Amino acid sequence: LLVSCGSNGNTETICSPKPEEIWRNGTWYPITWNALHPAYVSSTTLDIYIYFVQNYQNVPIKKLLGISTFRGNIPIFVDDTWRLDPTARMYHVLTYIVPSGIDPENEMGKRNSKYPQPIHNYVERMYTLFFFFFAIFTNFFSSI
């Protein structure tokens, strides 16, 4: 049974990613929103911003602009361009959706923004054999 985002009314804004969900590098994921939410339905198009959170700073890594509001979802591929810190195995990201033309940085800073808050989730890089041996090597020499 397919349940659309918004089936619980306006309490649902962004249904994917889910808060605290882990997305893995090398995988497609849907970004899904409630196309009938009052904050979104007032605009024919939306902009999606994805930020890497580092040292309490939001660093933009992706933006998808001018997406039809009524589409309700868009697939996105998590790849190496999402990795701004090559040493981190997992890192915190924000997904923020606002009507086109709205300044996302300004809105996130507003305590009483009329737009839904961003979703906090995580991205995990693929743990390759190289990084496995690098971690063992580093731990071995750091214990000497």
Side-chain angles (χ1 to χ4, degrees), residues 68-102:
S68 171
T69 300
F70 300 106
R71 183 173 175 166
N73 69 66
I74 190 165
I76 191 161
F77 186 70
V78 178
D79 60 15
D80 286 339
T81 62
W82 290 53
R83 279 190 22 218
L84 298 183
D85 180 359
T87 63
R89 184 168 188 270
M90 187 178 310
Y91 46 93
H92 181 199
V93 296
L94 295 175
T95 302
Y96 194 40
I97 302 176
V98 291
S100 293
I102 299 297

Side-chain angles (χ1 to χ4, degrees), residues 47-65:
D47 296 337
I48 299 173
Y49 297 89
I50 301 171
Y51 297 90
F52 169 60
V53 181
Q54 182 179 40
N55 300 325
Y56 304 102
Q57 297 289 322
N58 297 335
V59 181
I61 53 175
K62 293 284 179 195
K63 60 182 170 182
L64 308 166
L65 306 175

Side-chain angles (χ1 to χ4, degrees), residues 6 12 26 31 47 50 69 73 76 80 111 114 127 136 139:
E12 292 179 317
I31 295 178
D47 296 337
I50 301 171
T69 300
N73 69 66
I76 191 161
D80 286 339
R111 184 179 192 104
K114 64 180 177 179
Y127 204 67
I136 290 173
N139 286 337

Side-chain angles (χ1 to χ4, degrees), residues 6 25 30 54 62 76 96 110 120 124 144:
N25 193 5
Q54 182 179 40
K62 293 284 179 195
I76 191 161
Y96 194 40
K110 289 182 180 177
H120 299 254
E124 181 178 53
I144 293 179

